[in-house]
Amino acid sequence: MRPTVHDIAAEAGVSLATVDRVMNARPGVREKTRLKVEQAIDKLGYVRDVAAANLAKGRTYPFTFILPCNENAFMADLRDAVLQANARGRVERTQISIVDVPAFDAEALAEALLAAGEGNPAGIAVVAIEADPVREAVRQLTGRGIPVVTLVSDLEDSNRDHYAGVDNPAAGRTAATLLGRFVSPQKGTIGVLAGSLSVRDHQNRFSGFCEIMAAHFPELTILPPMEGRDDSALARKLVSEAVEAHPDMIGLYSLGAGNRGLIAALEEARARGRELVTIAHELSDHSREALEAGLFDVVLNQDAGHEVRSAIRVLKAKADGLEVIAAQERIRIDIFIKDNLP
Amino acid sequence: MRPTVHDIAAEAGVSLATVDRVMNARPGVREKTRLKVEQAIDKLGYVRDVAAANLAKGRTYPFTFILPCNENAFMADLRDAVLQANARGRVERTQISIVDVPAFDAEALAEALLAAGEGNPAGIAVVAIEADPVREAVRQLTGRGIPVVTLVSDLEDSNRDHYAGVDNPAAGRTAATLLGRFVSPQKGTIGVLAGSLSVRDHQNRFSGFCEIMAAHFPELTILPPMEGRDDSALARKLVSEAVEAHPDMIGLYSLGAGNRGLIAALEEARARGRELVTIAHELSDHSREALEAGLFDVVLNQDAGHEVRSAIRVLKAKADGLEVIAAQERIRIDIFIKDNLP
DNA sequence: CTGTTAGCGCATTCAA
DNA sequence: TTGAATGCGCTAACAG
């Protein structure tokens, strides 16, 4: 049998309460006593039974998820995933409250973070925006011992506890290699459609994309990126015009959301006899259909469900002061073609 | 607060013990009483606290994993993943014993399954072989209420509780599309290296591969598959000879293990000025290097860690009579190129 | 500073 | 056929 608190207490010659104090780093224990207990703990190889501990504590984990009120399918998926996780909260002992913030508004986000902190949640997950006020808010929270996990979009140079999202420069590089090889050996121009290049994720993807294109596909010219602002109509217009304006355009990388408009534009182009090798992000009903119809050639995806579950696991672990299994928490860049659709 | 057994007992006007009997479908309860309790349960929306239940039971889950003693990197990974999971068994309340069986030996596997069942484990995971004795053994086990999960390789027409592995025909189709597009617009022949076509997984991959090749890349000719028997030296020899014999061979799909020998052969070919678009399976140190060196173009992968953890989660859920979250348990076909390596 | 004690939600003897 | 009592491993008042 694995050792219990009783065994530790006996071994150390103290009471249960003292063992508990030591284990939870609570004050009111002489240094000497603490040492005895700690020795007993690793002599017996004690590991605390978290389930039992939580039972005793009647513990539930109140988490706060701060999400942008964006309209695209991915954010909807993300929200869904959070709601679903919360639905299973009865048994997982988590209780998640979602806080909505306006998209792309750093000030509002910073405020929301601080406000969330007031409720003393067991942890906070946030779709970050790269900005100093946000960084500062996160610093305050972690300083107060509240675990913070960035979700989907990271916050560099902050001391967030964990980032639950993909490596975006790598996503851009992946897109470049696939696009380059698919169009090869044709020469021509490649369009890029972003949501907004003021968003960090999109920046990162774009730079990764350009890096590989420049290095390995010099015969392909990247057109200046279009900014569709995740707006369906705008994206459609931009892409249609670009296809028209560049008869030598043979490929397209859409690194943001706004697949609907993009798909419409590609259908138009196809009707006029133009076929573009196209790589887009985020698997949704629309992008899946586009893949099956051959309008998209590749979809790069981050699994919202995985990200949310990972964030929760990490938050729980941090709240309990446990280690996280890094390998299990790495969020992959999924590559989908029509043949490996889930 | 969520309702507890006490609330149910009070609501139904019976004792805790009776509630327990009803919940665990144990005998010795009058039909009428049972009904009262059941009504109380869904009136209050009771869901049992599994953690508390396990604590009370002092429950641990003794699982048996039956693995082939194969020498390839993937199987080693799989074994590692099981050992690692077992190491965390103290806190997960699992205790896994590994049973080794000779590779590709259906009789031995069937025997091992039956033997494992004697120990009355809480569940069994097995790398299946498609054969009737195996099917029969699985049927017996599940008939006795022991949950059985197939791992990596499924067992069709058996009543195993779950399959923790990838969709192999889809893997083959994926390889075909990528290979076809990468070599395009060249014409030529494509080599196929299998471990053994008597293994179900390999068969499935091969047929998926041929299906797409025939449908979409008629200008490419698939050579008769080579069988490397997961033997490094043999694989090397076969591939080298094939490259030599077919000057028009421009692509290669390796759908089994034996990457070492394959890589050596590709290096030789490269030294002689021959470059083949190559797609292989399973990410390992060797295949990763090959990817980085440009010897492999794509590696399709199944994550052994995910598969094992998934198998354990499912086994636990089945043992507890709980639902599994299907979406979380689907094992992906990971596509790796040099840019999205983990 | 340290120990005693009473639960957390559930399963399980042992009586009745 | 049912109920009362005890304990799983741990935490948290409340006393000393």
Side-chain angles (χ1 to χ4, degrees):
Chain A
M1 281 305 276
R2 55 190 274 199
T4 74
V5 272
H6 292 92
D7 302 319
I8 304 300
E11 176 74 24
V14 298
S15 76
L16 287 186
T18 302
V19 173
D20 188 64
R21 289 188 186 98
V22 172
M23 286 190 351
N24 295 305
R26 270 188 290 247
V29 184
R30 242 189 333 187
E31 193 50 33
K32 208 172 151 188
T33 319
R34 173 180 307 280
L35 237 71
K36 275 197 303 187
V37 173
E38 276 164 355
Q39 279 168 8
I41 285 180
D42 52 49
K43 174 174 176 196
L44 300 190
Y46 170 82
V47 283
R48 144 232 251 124
D49 182 325
V50 190
N54 286 339
L55 174 58
K57 279 195 285 223
R59 165 147 214 178
T60 61
Y61 302 79
F63 292 137
T64 303
F65 275 61
I66 305 182
L67 308 177
C69 20
N70 250 358
E71 281 312 307
N72 66 60
F74 176 72
M75 281 303 166
D77 274 7
L78 196 70
R79 189 171 303 260
D80 264 18
V82 176
L83 291 174
Q84 241 182 295
N86 195 32
R88 290 179 301 122
R90 300 293 270 233
V91 44
E92 310 261 355
R93 299 187 165 280
T94 61
Q95 193 186 342
I96 304 174
S97 35
I98 297 183
V99 171
D100 290 306
V101 293
F104 310 132
D105 185 338
E107 296 295 337
L109 180 56
E111 257 177 62
L113 276 164
L114 263 13
E118 292 313 313
N120 267 319
I124 296 179
V126 57
V127 178
I129 296 178
E130 285 274 356
D132 284 330
V134 179
R135 248 182 289 273
E136 184 47 40
V138 169
R139 221 180 293 278
Q140 273 195 39
L141 293 172
T142 55
R144 287 171 45 198
I146 300 179
V148 175
V149 166
T150 50
L151 193 62
V152 178
S153 188
D154 199 7
L155 187 57
E156 279 160 34
D157 297 320
S158 74
N159 50 350
R160 86 284 185 284
D161 293 88
H162 183 80
Y163 163 56
V166 301
D167 178 345
N168 285 303
R173 292 196 293 271
T174 302
T177 294
L178 291 172
L179 187 49
R181 296 202 62 166
F182 278 10
V183 300
S184 166
Q186 299 172 72
K187 294 181 200 312
T189 60
I190 305 292
V192 172
L193 175 66
S196 158
L197 283 180
S198 68
V199 186
R200 185 67 176 212
D201 306 23
H202 294 193
Q203 275 175 29
N204 284 342
R205 288 175 188 171
F206 185 54
S207 65
F209 184 75
C210 292
E211 177 196 321
I212 293 294
M213 274 294 171
H216 297 313
F217 304 98
E219 72 280 11
L220 298 174
T221 309
I222 301 178
L223 295 171
M226 304 171 263
E227 299 193 63
R229 310 209 65 74
D230 290 12
D231 179 71
S232 183
L234 179 55
R236 174 177 186 163
K237 180 166 164 293
L238 288 170
V239 173
S240 285
E241 289 173 359
V243 170
E244 196 93 5
H246 300 276
D248 65 340
M249 187 166 141
I250 52 178
L252 181 62
Y253 175 37
S254 168
L255 51 76
N259 284 336
R260 296 259 299 276
L262 169 61
I263 291 169
L266 289 174
E267 277 169 340
E268 270 178 45
R270 172 175 282 184
R272 297 183 196 166
R274 291 284 297 279
E275 290 279 348
L276 299 185
V277 173
T278 303
I279 299 187
H281 272 268
E282 315 314 355
L283 195 64
S284 63
D285 289 345
H286 291 106
S287 59
R288 168 192 294 271
E289 279 173 27
L291 217 37
E292 281 164 349
L295 289 168
F296 285 176
D297 296 86
V298 176
V299 168
L300 302 181
N301 186 64
Q302 50 185 325
D303 189 301
H306 282 179
E307 291 178 326
V308 168
R309 286 189 290 268
S310 173
I312 292 174
R313 271 197 302 271
V314 171
L315 245 20
K316 255 189 175 174
K318 296 289 178 186
D320 289 336
L322 296 177
E323 290 296 306
V324 314
I325 309 165
Q328 189 169 352
E329 305 308 342
R330 226 183 33 77
I331 307 295
R332 306 223 140 124
I333 300 162
D334 294 320
I335 302 177
F336 289 112
I337 61 176
K338 66 179 193 309
D339 303 290
N340 71 329
L341 280 172
Chain B
M1 279 307 277
R2 54 190 275 199
T4 74
V5 273
H6 292 93
D7 302 319
I8 303 301
E11 175 75 25
V14 298
S15 76
L16 289 185
T18 302
V19 172
D20 188 65
R21 290 190 186 99
V22 172
M23 286 190 350
N24 295 304
R26 269 188 292 248
V29 184
R30 242 188 335 188
E31 193 50 33
K32 206 172 155 188
T33 320
R34 170 181 310 281
L35 237 71
K36 274 197 303 189
V37 173
E38 277 163 355
Q39 278 167 8
I41 286 182
D42 53 48
K43 175 177 176 195
L44 300 190
Y46 171 82
V47 283
R48 145 234 247 124
D49 182 327
V50 189
N54 287 340
L55 175 58
K57 278 193 284 218
R59 163 147 214 181
T60 61
Y61 302 80
F63 292 138
T64 302
F65 274 62
I66 304 181
L67 309 177
C69 21
N70 250 358
E71 280 313 308
N72 65 61
F74 175 73
M75 282 303 166
D77 274 8
L78 197 70
R79 189 171 303 259
D80 264 17
V82 176
L83 291 174
Q84 241 180 296
N86 195 31
R88 292 179 301 123
R90 300 294 269 233
V91 45
E92 310 261 358
R93 299 185 165 279
T94 61
Q95 194 185 341
I96 304 174
S97 35
I98 297 182
V99 171
D100 291 306
V101 293
F104 309 132
D105 184 339
E107 295 294 338
L109 180 56
E111 257 177 61
L113 275 165
L114 264 12
E118 293 313 312
N120 267 318
I124 296 179
V126 56
V127 178
I129 295 178
E130 285 275 356
D132 283 331
V134 178
R135 247 182 290 274
E136 185 46 41
V138 168
R139 220 180 294 276
Q140 273 195 38
L141 292 172
T142 55
R144 286 171 45 198
I146 300 177
V148 175
V149 166
T150 51
L151 192 63
V152 178
S153 187
D154 198 8
L155 187 57
E156 280 159 34
D157 297 320
S158 74
N159 51 350
R160 86 283 185 284
D161 292 90
H162 183 79
Y163 163 55
V166 300
D167 178 344
N168 284 304
R173 292 195 294 269
T174 302
T177 294
L178 291 172
L179 188 48
R181 298 203 60 166
F182 278 9
V183 300
S184 166
Q186 299 173 72
K187 297 182 198 310
T189 60
I190 305 293
V192 172
L193 175 65
S196 158
L197 283 180
S198 68
V199 185
R200 186 66 177 216
D201 307 23
H202 293 194
Q203 274 175 29
N204 285 342
R205 288 175 188 171
F206 184 55
S207 63
F209 184 76
C210 292
E211 178 197 320
I212 293 294
M213 275 292 170
H216 297 311
F217 304 98
E219 72 279 12
L220 298 173
T221 310
I222 301 179
L223 296 171
M226 303 171 264
E227 299 193 63
R229 310 210 65 74
D230 290 10
D231 179 70
S232 182
L234 179 54
R236 174 179 187 162
K237 179 166 166 293
L238 288 171
V239 174
S240 286
E241 288 174 358
V243 171
E244 195 92 6
H246 301 275
D248 65 341
M249 185 165 142
I250 53 179
L252 181 62
Y253 175 37
S254 168
L255 52 77
N259 284 336
R260 295 258 301 276
L262 169 61
I263 291 169
L266 290 173
E267 277 169 340
E268 270 180 44
R270 172 175 282 182
R272 297 184 194 163
R274 291 286 296 280
E275 290 279 347
L276 299 185
V277 174
T278 304
I279 299 187
H281 272 269
E282 314 314 355
L283 194 63
S284 63
D285 289 344
H286 290 106
S287 59
R288 168 191 295 269
E289 279 172 28
L291 216 40
E292 282 163 349
L295 288 168
F296 285 177
D297 296 86
V298 176
V299 168
L300 302 180
N301 186 63
Q302 51 186 324
D303 189 301
H306 282 177
E307 291 178 327
V308 168
R309 286 189 291 268
S310 172
I312 292 174
R313 271 197 302 271
V314 171
L315 246 20
K316 255 188 172 173
K318 295 289 179 188
D320 288 336
L322 296 177
E323 289 297 304
V324 312
I325 310 165
Q328 190 169 352
E329 306 307 342
R330 226 184 32 78
I331 306 294
R332 304 220 143 126
I333 300 162
D334 294 320
I335 302 178
F336 289 112
I337 61 176
K338 67 179 191 310
D339 302 290
N340 71 330
L341 280 173

